[in-house]
Amino acid sequence: HQSIFMPSLASNPTHRLHLCWEQHCKLLPEVSGLTAKHVAKWTVEEVVSFIQRLPGCKEQASVFREEVSQVCPTP
């Protein structure tokens, strides 16, 4: 089935991706202005902080922090 974020009218993949991101930004204003280049440099705490600000994701932020500390323990 066709995703609401990937309209079938857009045949150009770059255009589809842009439309998809626009829809995500409308639903989650917290992602507006973020770029992959910027997010790729985030620390674990920056990721945790971002996840906590997402609606209904406070618990997932704690789980993320715990899982990262198990995989990459601090010396």
Coordinates of all heavy atoms in Angstrom, one line a residue:
H1 N 0.8 -1.2 0.0 CA 0.0 0.0 0.0 C 0.9 1.2 0.0 O 2.0 1.2 0.4 CB -1.0 0.0 1.2 CG -0.4 0.3 2.5 ND1 -0.4 1.7 2.9 CD2 0.2 -0.4 3.4 CE1 0.2 1.7 4.1 NE2 0.5 0.5 4.4
Q2 N 0.4 2.3 -0.4 CA 1.1 3.6 -0.6 C 1.1 4.3 0.8 O 0.1 4.5 1.4 CB 0.4 4.5 -1.6 CG 1.1 5.7 -1.9 CD 2.5 5.5 -2.6 OE1 2.7 4.6 -3.3 NE2 3.4 6.3 -2.3
S3 N 2.3 4.7 1.2 CA 2.4 5.5 2.4 C 1.9 6.9 2.3 O 2.0 7.5 1.2 CB 3.9 5.5 2.8 OG 4.1 6.5 3.9
I4 N 1.3 7.4 3.3 CA 0.8 8.8 3.3 C 2.0 9.8 3.2 O 1.8 10.9 2.8 CB -0.1 9.2 4.5 CG1 0.7 9.1 5.8 CG2 -1.3 8.3 4.5 CD1 0.0 9.7 7.0
F5 N 3.2 9.3 3.5 CA 4.4 10.2 3.5 C 5.1 10.1 2.1 O 6.0 10.8 1.9 CB 5.4 9.8 4.6 CG 4.8 10.1 5.9 CD1 4.5 9.0 6.8 CD2 4.5 11.3 6.4 CE1 3.9 9.2 8.0 CE2 3.9 11.6 7.6 CZ 3.7 10.5 8.4
M6 N 4.7 9.2 1.3 CA 5.3 9.0 0.0 C 4.3 9.0 -1.1 O 3.9 8.0 -1.6 CB 6.1 7.7 -0.1 CG 7.3 7.6 0.9 SD 8.5 8.9 0.6 CE 9.9 7.8 0.2
P7 N 3.8 10.2 -1.4 CA 2.7 10.3 -2.4 C 3.0 9.7 -3.7 O 4.1 9.8 -4.2 CB 2.4 11.8 -2.5 CG 3.1 12.4 -1.4 CD 4.2 11.5 -0.9
S8 N 2.1 8.9 -4.3 CA 2.3 8.2 -5.6 C 2.5 9.2 -6.7 O 3.0 8.9 -7.8 CB 1.2 7.2 -5.8 OG 0.0 7.9 -5.9
L9 N 2.0 10.5 -6.6 CA 2.1 11.4 -7.6 C 3.6 11.9 -7.8 O 3.9 12.4 -8.9 CB 1.2 12.6 -7.3 CG -0.2 12.3 -7.2 CD1 -1.0 13.6 -6.8 CD2 -0.8 11.8 -8.5
A10 N 4.4 11.8 -6.9 CA 5.8 12.2 -7.0 C 6.7 11.1 -7.5 O 6.9 10.1 -6.8 CB 6.3 12.7 -5.6
S11 N 7.1 11.2 -8.8 CA 7.9 10.1 -9.3 C 9.4 10.3 -9.1 O 10.2 9.3 -9.2 CB 7.7 10.0 -10.8 OG 8.0 11.3 -11.4
N12 N 9.8 11.5 -8.7 CA 11.2 11.8 -8.5 C 11.6 11.4 -7.0 O 11.0 11.9 -6.1 CB 11.5 13.3 -8.7 CG 12.9 13.7 -8.4 OD1 13.6 13.1 -7.6 ND2 13.3 14.7 -9.1
P13 N 12.5 10.4 -6.8 CA 12.8 10.0 -5.4 C 13.3 11.1 -4.5 O 12.9 11.2 -3.4 CB 14.0 9.0 -5.6 CG 13.9 8.6 -7.0 CD 13.3 9.7 -7.8
T14 N 14.0 12.1 -5.0 CA 14.5 13.2 -4.2 C 13.3 14.1 -3.8 O 13.1 14.5 -2.6 CB 15.5 14.1 -5.0 OG1 16.6 13.3 -5.4 CG2 16.0 15.2 -4.1
H15 N 12.4 14.3 -4.7 CA 11.1 15.0 -4.4 C 10.3 14.3 -3.4 O 9.8 14.9 -2.5 CB 10.4 15.3 -5.7 CG 9.1 16.1 -5.5 ND1 9.2 17.4 -5.1 CD2 7.8 15.8 -5.6 CE1 8.0 17.9 -5.0 NE2 7.1 17.0 -5.3
R16 N 10.2 13.0 -3.5 CA 9.4 12.1 -2.6 C 10.0 12.3 -1.2 O 9.3 12.4 -0.2 CB 9.4 10.7 -3.0 CG 8.4 10.4 -4.1 CD 8.1 8.9 -4.3 NE 9.3 8.1 -4.2 CZ 9.8 7.4 -5.2 NH1 9.2 7.4 -6.3 NH2 10.9 6.6 -5.0
L17 N 11.3 12.2 -1.1 CA 12.0 12.3 0.2 C 11.7 13.7 0.8 O 11.4 13.8 2.0 CB 13.5 12.1 0.0 CG 14.3 12.1 1.3 CD1 13.8 11.0 2.3 CD2 15.8 11.9 1.0
H18 N 11.8 14.7 0.0 CA 11.5 16.1 0.5 C 10.1 16.2 1.0 O 9.8 16.7 2.1 CB 11.7 17.1 -0.6 CG 11.4 18.5 -0.2 ND1 12.2 19.2 0.7 CD2 10.4 19.3 -0.5 CE1 11.7 20.4 0.9 NE2 10.6 20.5 0.2
L19 N 9.1 15.6 0.3 CA 7.7 15.6 0.7 C 7.5 14.8 2.0 O 6.8 15.2 2.9 CB 6.8 15.0 -0.4 CG 6.6 15.9 -1.6 CD1 5.8 15.2 -2.7 CD2 6.0 17.2 -1.3
C20 N 8.2 13.7 2.1 CA 8.2 12.9 3.3 C 8.6 13.6 4.5 O 8.0 13.7 5.6 CB 9.0 11.6 3.1 SG 9.1 10.5 4.5
W21 N 9.8 14.3 4.4 CA 10.3 15.1 5.5 C 9.4 16.2 5.9 O 9.2 16.5 7.0 CB 11.7 15.6 5.1 CG 12.4 16.2 6.3 CD1 12.7 17.5 6.5 CD2 12.9 15.5 7.4 NE1 13.3 17.7 7.7 CE2 13.4 16.5 8.3 CE3 12.8 14.2 7.8 CZ2 14.0 16.2 9.6 CZ3 13.4 13.9 9.1 CH2 13.9 14.8 9.9
E22 N 8.8 16.9 4.9 CA 7.8 18.0 5.2 C 6.7 17.5 6.0 O 6.3 18.1 7.0 CB 7.3 18.6 3.9 CG 8.2 19.5 3.2 CD 7.5 20.1 1.9 OE1 6.3 20.0 1.7 OE2 8.3 20.8 1.2
Q23 N 6.2 16.3 5.7 CA 5.1 15.7 6.5 C 5.5 15.4 7.9 O 4.8 15.6 8.8 CB 4.5 14.5 5.8 CG 3.8 14.8 4.5 CD 2.6 15.7 4.7 OE1 1.9 15.6 5.6 NE2 2.5 16.6 3.8
H24 N 6.7 14.8 8.0 CA 7.2 14.5 9.4 C 7.4 15.8 10.2 O 7.1 15.8 11.4 CB 8.6 13.8 9.3 CG 8.5 12.3 9.0 ND1 8.1 11.9 7.8 CD2 8.7 11.2 9.7 CE1 8.1 10.5 7.8 NE2 8.4 10.1 9.0
C25 N 7.9 16.8 9.6 CA 8.0 18.1 10.3 C 6.7 18.7 10.8 O 6.6 19.3 11.8 CB 8.8 19.1 9.4 SG 10.5 18.7 9.2
K26 N 5.6 18.4 10.0 CA 4.3 18.9 10.4 C 3.8 18.1 11.6 O 3.2 18.7 12.5 CB 3.3 18.8 9.3 CG 3.5 19.8 8.2 CD 2.6 19.6 7.0 CE 2.9 20.5 5.8 NZ 2.1 20.2 4.7
L27 N 4.1 16.8 11.6 CA 3.6 15.9 12.7 C 4.5 16.1 13.9 O 4.0 15.9 15.1 CB 3.6 14.5 12.2 CG 2.5 14.2 11.1 CD1 2.7 12.8 10.6 CD2 1.1 14.4 11.6
L28 N 5.8 16.3 13.7 CA 6.8 16.4 14.8 C 7.6 17.6 14.6 O 8.7 17.6 14.1 CB 7.7 15.2 14.8 CG 7.1 13.9 15.3 CD1 8.1 12.7 15.0 CD2 6.7 13.9 16.7
P29 N 7.1 18.8 15.1 CA 7.9 20.0 14.9 C 9.3 19.9 15.5 O 10.1 20.7 15.1 CB 7.0 21.1 15.6 CG 5.7 20.4 16.0 CD 5.9 18.9 15.8
E30 N 9.5 19.0 16.4 CA 10.8 18.8 17.0 C 11.9 18.5 16.0 O 13.1 18.8 16.3 CB 10.8 17.7 18.1 CG 9.9 18.0 19.3 CD 8.4 17.7 19.1 OE1 8.1 17.2 18.0 OE2 7.6 17.8 20.0
V31 N 11.5 17.9 14.9 CA 12.5 17.6 13.9 C 12.8 18.7 12.9 O 13.7 18.6 12.1 CB 12.2 16.3 13.1 CG1 12.0 15.1 14.1 CG2 10.9 16.4 12.3
S32 N 12.0 19.7 12.9 CA 12.1 20.8 11.9 C 13.5 21.5 12.1 O 13.9 21.8 13.2 CB 11.0 21.9 12.2 OG 11.1 22.9 11.2
G33 N 14.2 21.7 11.0 CA 15.5 22.3 11.1 C 16.7 21.3 11.3 O 17.8 21.7 11.2
L34 N 16.4 20.1 11.6 CA 17.5 19.1 11.8 C 18.0 18.6 10.5 O 17.2 18.4 9.5 CB 17.0 17.9 12.6 CG 16.6 18.2 14.1 CD1 16.1 16.9 14.8 CD2 17.8 18.7 14.8
T35 N 19.2 18.3 10.4 CA 19.8 17.7 9.2 C 20.6 16.5 9.7 O 21.1 16.4 10.8 CB 20.8 18.7 8.5 OG1 21.9 19.0 9.3 CG2 20.1 19.9 8.1
A36 N 20.8 15.5 8.8 CA 21.6 14.3 9.1 C 23.0 14.7 9.5 O 23.6 14.1 10.4 CB 21.5 13.4 7.9
K37 N 23.6 15.7 8.8 CA 24.9 16.1 9.1 C 25.1 16.6 10.5 O 26.0 16.3 11.2 CB 25.3 17.2 8.1 CG 26.8 17.6 8.2 CD 27.1 18.6 7.1 CE 28.5 19.0 7.2 NZ 28.9 20.0 6.1
H38 N 24.1 17.3 11.0 CA 24.1 17.8 12.4 C 23.9 16.7 13.4 O 24.6 16.6 14.3 CB 23.0 18.9 12.5 CG 22.9 19.4 13.9 ND1 23.7 20.3 14.4 CD2 21.9 19.2 14.8 CE1 23.4 20.6 15.7 NE2 22.3 19.9 15.9
V39 N 22.9 15.9 13.1 CA 22.5 14.8 14.1 C 23.6 13.8 14.2 O 23.8 13.2 15.2 CB 21.2 14.1 13.6 CG1 20.8 12.9 14.4 CG2 20.0 15.1 13.7
A40 N 24.3 13.5 13.1 CA 25.4 12.5 13.1 C 26.5 12.9 14.1 O 27.2 12.0 14.6 CB 26.0 12.4 11.7
K41 N 26.6 14.1 14.6 CA 27.6 14.6 15.5 C 27.1 14.6 17.0 O 27.8 15.0 17.9 CB 28.1 16.0 15.1 CG 28.8 16.0 13.8 CD 29.2 17.4 13.4 CE 29.8 17.4 12.0 NZ 30.1 18.7 11.5
W42 N 25.9 14.2 17.2 CA 25.3 14.3 18.5 C 26.0 13.3 19.5 O 26.3 12.2 19.1 CB 23.8 13.9 18.5 CG 22.9 15.1 18.1 CD1 23.3 16.3 17.6 CD2 21.5 15.0 18.0 NE1 22.2 17.1 17.3 CE2 21.1 16.3 17.5 CE3 20.5 14.1 18.2 CZ2 19.7 16.6 17.3 CZ3 19.2 14.4 18.0 CH2 18.8 15.7 17.6
T43 N 26.1 13.7 20.7 CA 26.5 12.8 21.8 C 25.3 11.9 22.2 O 24.2 12.2 21.9 CB 27.0 13.6 23.0 OG1 25.9 14.3 23.6 CG2 28.1 14.6 22.6
V44 N 25.6 11.0 23.0 CA 24.5 10.1 23.6 C 23.5 11.0 24.4 O 22.3 10.8 24.2 CB 25.1 9.0 24.5 CG1 24.0 8.3 25.3 CG2 25.9 8.0 23.7
E45 N 24.0 11.9 25.1 CA 23.1 12.8 25.9 C 22.3 13.7 25.1 O 21.1 14.0 25.4 CB 23.9 13.6 27.0 CG 24.4 12.7 28.1 CD 23.3 11.9 28.8 OE1 22.2 12.5 29.1 OE2 23.5 10.7 29.0
E46 N 22.8 14.1 23.9 CA 22.0 14.9 23.0 C 20.9 14.1 22.4 O 19.8 14.6 22.3 CB 22.9 15.6 21.9 CG 23.8 16.7 22.5 CD 24.8 17.2 21.4 OE1 25.5 16.3 20.9 OE2 24.8 18.4 21.2
V47 N 21.2 12.9 22.1 CA 20.2 12.0 21.6 C 19.1 11.7 22.6 O 17.9 11.8 22.3 CB 20.8 10.6 21.1 CG1 19.7 9.7 20.7 CG2 21.7 10.9 19.9
V48 N 19.5 11.4 23.8 CA 18.6 11.2 24.9 C 17.7 12.4 25.1 O 16.5 12.3 25.3 CB 19.3 10.8 26.2 CG1 18.4 10.8 27.4 CG2 20.0 9.5 26.1
S49 N 18.3 13.6 25.1 CA 17.5 14.8 25.3 C 16.5 15.0 24.2 O 15.4 15.4 24.5 CB 18.5 16.0 25.4 OG 17.8 17.2 25.4
F50 N 16.9 14.7 23.0 CA 16.0 14.9 21.9 C 14.8 13.9 22.0 O 13.7 14.3 21.8 CB 16.7 14.6 20.5 CG 15.8 14.6 19.4 CD1 15.3 15.8 18.9 CD2 15.4 13.4 18.8 CE1 14.4 15.8 17.8 CE2 14.6 13.4 17.7 CZ 14.0 14.6 17.2
I51 N 15.1 12.6 22.3 CA 14.1 11.6 22.4 C 13.1 12.0 23.5 O 11.9 11.8 23.4 CB 14.7 10.2 22.7 CG1 15.5 9.8 21.5 CG2 13.6 9.2 23.0 CD1 16.3 8.5 21.7
Q52 N 13.6 12.5 24.7 CA 12.7 12.9 25.8 C 11.8 14.0 25.4 O 10.7 14.0 25.9 CB 13.6 13.4 26.9 CG 14.3 12.3 27.7 CD 15.2 12.9 28.8 OE1 15.7 14.0 28.7 NE2 15.4 12.0 29.8
R53 N 12.1 14.8 24.4 CA 11.2 15.9 24.0 C 10.2 15.4 23.0 O 9.2 16.2 22.8 CB 12.1 17.0 23.3 CG 12.9 17.8 24.3 CD 13.5 19.1 23.7 NE 14.1 18.9 22.4 CZ 15.4 18.7 22.2 NH1 16.2 18.6 23.2 NH2 15.9 18.6 21.0
L54 N 10.3 14.3 22.5 CA 9.3 13.7 21.5 C 8.1 13.3 22.3 O 8.2 12.7 23.4 CB 9.9 12.6 20.7 CG 11.0 12.9 19.7 CD1 11.6 11.6 19.1 CD2 10.5 13.9 18.7
P55 N 6.9 13.6 21.8 CA 5.7 13.2 22.5 C 5.6 11.7 22.8 O 5.8 10.9 21.9 CB 4.6 13.6 21.6 CG 5.2 14.6 20.7 CD 6.6 14.3 20.6
G56 N 5.5 11.4 24.1 CA 5.3 10.0 24.5 C 6.6 9.1 24.5 O 6.5 7.9 24.5
C57 N 7.7 9.7 24.4 CA 9.0 9.0 24.3 C 9.9 9.1 25.4 O 11.1 8.7 25.3 CB 9.7 9.4 23.0 SG 8.8 8.9 21.5
K58 N 9.5 9.6 26.5 CA 10.4 9.8 27.7 C 10.9 8.5 28.2 O 12.1 8.4 28.5 CB 9.6 10.5 28.8 CG 10.5 11.1 29.9 CD 9.7 12.0 30.9 CE 9.9 13.3 30.4 NZ 10.4 14.4 30.9
E59 N 10.1 7.5 28.2 CA 10.6 6.2 28.7 C 11.6 5.6 27.7 O 12.6 5.0 28.1 CB 9.4 5.2 28.8 CG 9.8 3.9 29.4 CD 8.6 3.0 29.7 OE1 7.6 3.5 30.2 OE2 8.6 1.8 29.3
Q60 N 11.4 5.8 26.4 CA 12.3 5.3 25.4 C 13.7 5.9 25.5 O 14.7 5.3 25.2 CB 11.8 5.5 24.0 CG 10.7 4.5 23.6 CD 9.3 4.9 24.2 OE1 9.2 5.9 24.8 NE2 8.4 4.0 24.0
A61 N 13.7 7.1 26.0 CA 15.0 7.8 26.1 C 15.8 7.1 27.2 O 17.1 6.9 27.1 CB 14.8 9.3 26.5
S62 N 15.2 6.7 28.3 CA 15.9 6.0 29.4 C 16.4 4.6 28.9 O 17.5 4.2 29.2 CB 15.0 5.8 30.6 OG 14.6 7.0 31.1
V63 N 15.6 3.9 28.1 CA 15.9 2.6 27.5 C 17.1 2.8 26.6 O 18.1 2.0 26.7 CB 14.8 2.0 26.8 CG1 15.2 0.8 26.0 CG2 13.6 1.6 27.7
F64 N 17.1 3.8 25.8 CA 18.2 4.1 24.9 C 19.5 4.3 25.7 O 20.6 3.7 25.4 CB 17.9 5.3 24.0 CG 19.1 5.8 23.1 CD1 19.3 5.1 21.9 CD2 19.9 6.8 23.5 CE1 20.4 5.5 21.1 CE2 21.0 7.2 22.7 CZ 21.2 6.5 21.5
R65 N 19.5 5.2 26.7 CA 20.6 5.4 27.5 C 21.2 4.2 28.1 O 22.4 3.9 28.1 CB 20.3 6.5 28.6 CG 21.6 6.8 29.4 CD 21.2 7.7 30.6 NE 21.1 9.1 30.1 CZ 20.0 9.9 30.4 NH1 19.0 9.4 31.2 NH2 19.9 11.1 30.0
E66 N 20.3 3.3 28.7 CA 20.7 2.1 29.3 C 21.4 1.1 28.3 O 22.4 0.6 28.5 CB 19.5 1.3 29.9 CG 19.0 1.9 31.2 CD 17.8 1.2 31.7 OE1 17.6 0.0 31.4 OE2 17.0 1.9 32.3
E67 N 20.8 1.0 27.1 CA 21.3 0.1 26.1 C 22.7 0.6 25.6 O 23.6 -0.2 25.4 CB 20.4 0.0 24.9 CG 19.2 -0.8 25.3 CD 18.1 -1.0 24.2 OE1 18.3 -0.4 23.1 OE2 17.1 -1.7 24.4
V68 N 22.8 1.9 25.4 CA 24.1 2.5 25.0 C 25.2 2.2 26.0 O 26.3 1.8 25.7 CB 24.0 4.0 24.6 CG1 25.4 4.6 24.5 CG2 23.2 4.2 23.4
S69 N 24.8 2.4 27.3 CA 25.8 2.2 28.4 C 26.2 0.7 28.4 O 27.4 0.4 28.8 CB 25.3 2.6 29.7 OG 24.2 1.8 30.1
Q70 N 25.4 -0.2 28.0 CA 25.7 -1.7 28.0 C 26.7 -2.0 26.9 O 27.6 -2.8 27.0 CB 24.5 -2.5 28.0 CG 23.7 -2.5 29.2 CD 22.3 -3.2 29.0 OE1 22.1 -3.8 28.0 NE2 21.5 -3.2 30.1
V71 N 26.5 -1.3 25.7 CA 27.3 -1.6 24.5 C 28.6 -0.8 24.6 O 29.6 -1.3 24.2 CB 26.5 -1.2 23.3 CG1 27.4 -1.3 22.0 CG2 25.2 -2.0 23.1
C72 N 28.6 0.4 25.1 CA 29.7 1.3 25.2 C 29.9 1.8 26.6 O 29.6 3.0 26.9 CB 29.6 2.5 24.2 SG 29.2 2.0 22.5
P73 N 30.4 1.0 27.5 CA 30.5 1.4 28.9 C 31.6 2.5 29.0 O 32.6 2.5 28.3 CB 30.9 0.2 29.7 CG 31.3 -0.8 28.7 CD 30.8 -0.4 27.3
T74 N 31.3 3.5 29.8 CA 32.3 4.6 30.0 C 33.4 4.1 30.9 O 33.2 3.4 31.9 CB 31.6 5.8 30.6 OG1 30.9 5.4 31.8 CG2 30.7 6.5 29.6
P75 N 34.6 4.5 30.6 CA 35.8 4.0 31.4 C 35.8 4.6 32.8 O 35.3 5.5 33.2 CB 37.0 4.4 30.6 CG 36.5 5.3 29.6 CD 35.0 5.3 29.5

